[in-house]
Amino acid sequence: MRKQLTIGLFGFGCVGTGLYEVLNQSNLLDAKIKRIIVKDRTKKRIIGAEHFGYEASEILNDEEINLVVELINDSNEALAIVREALSKGKHVVSANKKLIAEHLDELLNLAKENNVSFLYEASVAGSIPIIRNLEEYYNNDSLSSVQGIVNGTTNYILTQANYGVSYADALQKAQELGFAEADPTLDVDGFDSKFKLVLLIKHAFGLTVQPENVFNYGIRQIKPQDVKYASEKDYRIKLFARAEKIGNKIVGFVAPHFIKKDHVAYQVDNEFNAVIVEASFSDRQLFLGKGAGSFPTASAVLSDVSALQYDYQYEYKKSNTETKPVYAEDFYLKIYLASKDIQALNEIPFYFLDEKFQSSGYNYQTGWVKFSDLSKFDFNNIEKLFFAVLPESFKDEEEFLKFKAENEVLVNEIA
Ligand SMILES: NC(=O)c1ccc[n+]([C@@H]2O[C@H](COP(=O)([O-])OP(=O)(O)OC[C@H]3O[C@@H](n4cnc5c(N)ncnc54)[C@H](OP(=O)(O)O)[C@@H]3O)[C@@H](O)[C@H]2O)c1
């Protein structure tokens, strides 16, 4: 039976107004917004002042409200709201990836104790229904990899960069168009992608990992020479959030990747997101859609509201398997490492060097590095270095040692 939902909405910005409008346009739902809490008393709104309040308690203490939709832009305040709403036995829908990635287990326990649902489809890749698909569609398929472009801001900047616009100009344009914040750090340094990756890892592999343990490197240090290298090789640069499973080990990281022309993500441009899932039975599948924006994001919130009418809860089936996966960093990546300062290239140990280029203005080398060596560095703040992951470049220790031994024999034979 469909449950009647009385909604208390926190936030009436980009996504909040979008939700209001899509709820009005969708007459299939038995859900109404009773109260909206916002912050700024002076702001002009698209609906009358009688809908709004400024005290969280107006929603949290209202027993008729059985669903809190949290769409504010302050994760500390949001945490307090979500905790209290769950404790008071209200279902919660949120789009705040930072809050959820940082406090997932605590919030899940609270939801369980109070026998309510906590849903957050909109927090990962906007309109793409990836969380629900990982939960439901792939629940019996063994996944080996979940990766993709999950941040529209950086994808917009990189699209411009791939067409020759400098990073600084592309960022400015993204800010003018409202795609990037005045302080773009969370997006351009890969934090936003990392929070989403933490949630993907939870639903794909059943592992809770703290965001501070996941390596994130963004796009701030890209130089025109790196874009030139990519275009000469027919690559496009994309910021990838990537989780791989090898045996019982899960690895996850965010880093710029050089993407080949025949890769499904090559043509994913501007604010579009793409998530690629690889599974034993269904093989490789691509989810493509808008990763942000008022209506696209609100559509994901709407789908959570709709699911709640049938008391839907995530079951985290992958978390309940007998063998628990472990988070690991002992794998190898093939990267491109570049710098104006030739000596700086020696700061990262290479276990197998493929190519080395030197000139008076710029230097680079490509080859295999150990991920645990890379992850020690705070690359977002090292201006003199840039690295990107090269295509088909991921091996676990066993595969890498075999590859290295075979290739060293080959090199010796040629010599
Ligand atoms: N925008 C997107 O495309 C997108 C995509 C995916 C996920 N999200 C997530 O969705 C959430 C909302 O994002 P948004 O883009 O809609 O933000 P936004 O446009 O900046 O709007 C934020 C809203 O939160 C309200 N607010 C801030 N602090 C508050 C508080 N303490 N109590 C009550 N209301 C408060 C603001 O009130 P005032 O109106 O009074 O200022 C405003 O209405 C964020 O977690 C974001 O990460 C956004």
Side-chain angles (χ1 to χ4, degrees):
M1 209 181 74
R2 282 206 305 179
K3 180 191 225 125
Q4 212 215 322
L5 295 169
T6 306
I7 300 172
L9 173 62
F10 284 90
F12 204 66
C14 175
V15 189
T17 47
L19 178 68
Y20 184 85
E21 298 200 28
V22 295
L23 258 178
N24 272 350
Q25 284 173 33
S26 155
N27 47 18
L28 298 171
L29 278 182
D30 198 0
K32 67 164 199 296
I33 297 177
K34 183 176 178 190
R35 198 75 183 139
I36 306 169
I37 301 299
V38 284
K39 199 172 176 185
D40 184 346
R41 289 168 193 258
T42 63
K43 224 182 231 180
K44 275 212 157 121
R45 313 279 173 189
I46 56 164
I47 50 172
E50 69 280 8
H51 294 280
F52 296 96
Y54 303 92
E55 295 299 327
S57 57
E58 281 188 57
I59 285 179
L60 296 170
N61 292 342
D62 184 333
E63 287 186 6
E64 197 200 350
I65 290 176
N66 53 1
L67 166 60
V68 165
V69 178
E70 180 285 300
L71 297 173
I72 73 172
N73 55 356
D74 173 336
S75 15
N76 292 332
E77 286 284 336
L79 176 62
I81 289 165
V82 172
R83 273 186 182 142
E84 195 172 338
L86 293 172
S87 306
K88 290 194 159 161
K90 298 181 193 300
H91 303 293
V92 173
V93 171
S94 171
N96 192 325
K97 52 260 157 181
K98 180 173 190 292
L99 151 80
I100 305 165
E102 285 176 344
H103 301 278
L104 186 58
D105 278 356
E106 178 207 328
L107 298 174
L108 293 186
N109 285 337
L110 257 184
K112 212 169 171 185
E113 278 165 24
N114 292 284
N115 198 23
V116 286
S117 297
F118 177 44
L119 304 181
Y120 41 82
E121 185 64 69
S123 65
V124 181
S127 68
I128 299 177
I130 187 64
I131 300 287
R132 197 94 59 82
N133 270 297
L134 289 174
E135 274 288 301
E136 304 300 328
Y137 184 84
Y138 295 102
N139 63 343
N140 289 312
D141 205 346
S142 168
L143 301 181
S144 54
S145 159
V146 177
Q147 55 182 300
I149 300 163
V150 291
N151 181 275
T153 307
T154 46
N155 205 40
Y156 175 82
I157 295 171
L158 288 174
T159 303
Q160 300 290 311
N162 285 325
Y163 291 117
V165 181
S166 74
Y167 169 78
D169 288 350
L171 172 61
Q172 197 187 341
K173 202 166 167 200
Q175 283 167 327
E176 282 163 12
L177 289 169
F179 290 154
E181 304 278 334
D183 176 1
T185 310
L186 283 185
D187 288 326
V188 299
D189 286 353
F191 287 94
D192 177 85
S193 297
K194 168 166 86 168
F195 297 135
K196 293 164 178 169
L197 183 64
V198 164
L199 300 180
L200 290 173
I201 290 174
K202 178 72 179 173
H203 288 272
F205 303 116
L207 182 72
T208 302
V209 38
Q210 290 307 313
E212 63 266 27
N213 296 331
V214 177
F215 174 80
N216 59 294
Y217 175 41
I219 62 170
R220 197 149 43 109
Q221 308 301 359
I222 291 181
K223 313 284 184 300
Q225 292 91 333
D226 306 316
V227 178
K228 187 164 170 265
Y229 172 90
S231 100
E232 280 169 7
K233 302 272 179 192
D234 254 351
Y235 296 150
R236 282 188 182 158
I237 309 175
K238 302 281 175 195
L239 185 65
F240 255 53
R242 180 167 178 182
E244 303 270 353
K245 183 167 190 265
I246 298 174
N248 200 31
K249 289 181 185 169
I250 311 284
V251 291
F253 60 99
V254 175
H257 280 54
F258 286 140
I259 300 296
K260 272 170 47 175
K261 230 176 185 163
D262 59 359
H263 192 286
V264 289
Y266 183 85
Q267 307 262 25
V268 178
D269 275 347
N270 294 315
E271 77 273 36
F272 275 86
N273 281 194
V275 182
I276 301 138
V277 178
E278 285 181 47
S280 303
F281 307 137
S282 46
D283 211 331
R284 177 187 273 200
Q285 290 179 304
L286 167 74
F287 293 80
L288 175 70
K290 287 201 169 157
S294 183
F295 277 22
T297 312
S299 78
V301 177
L302 185 74
S303 105
D304 281 349
V305 173
S306 159
L308 276 171
Q309 290 207 300
Y310 301 96
D311 277 326
Y312 179 75
Q313 300 191 333
Y314 300 140
E315 287 186 45
Y316 301 93
K317 291 185 193 119
K318 297 260 161 94
S319 300
N320 301 323
T321 50
E322 266 174 31
T323 38
K324 301 275 172 233
V326 289
Y327 196 70
E329 292 202 330
D330 52 344
F331 63 96
Y332 292 78
L333 281 178
K334 189 172 170 184
I335 66 163
Y336 155 99
L337 179 72
S339 179
K340 277 185 185 163
D341 169 7
I342 183 118
Q343 294 307 327
L345 299 183
N346 298 328
E347 289 176 25
I348 314 295
F350 274 64
Y351 288 73
F352 193 90
L353 206 58
D354 265 349
E355 193 188 354
K356 201 165 179 155
F357 172 82
Q358 284 182 344
S359 75
S360 53
Y362 212 55
N363 313 283
Y364 68 79
Q365 62 194 35
T366 65
W368 289 85
V369 295
K370 197 168 186 177
F371 179 73
S372 51
D373 290 334
L374 277 186
S375 66
K376 289 184 194 130
F377 291 86
D378 177 13
F379 281 98
N380 283 318
N381 291 305
I382 306 179
E383 213 192 317
K384 63 184 175 185
L385 284 175
F386 172 73
F387 89 80
V389 179
L390 284 156
E392 286 139 33
S393 57
F394 184 89
K395 292 186 196 296
D396 71 359
E397 187 133 36
E398 198 182 321
E399 279 174 321
F400 176 72
L401 293 177
K402 196 165 159 242
F403 157 86
K404 188 168 177 264
E406 283 168 6
N407 281 278
E408 275 169 355
V409 168
L410 212 65
V411 170
N412 288 338
E413 276 174 8
I414 292 167

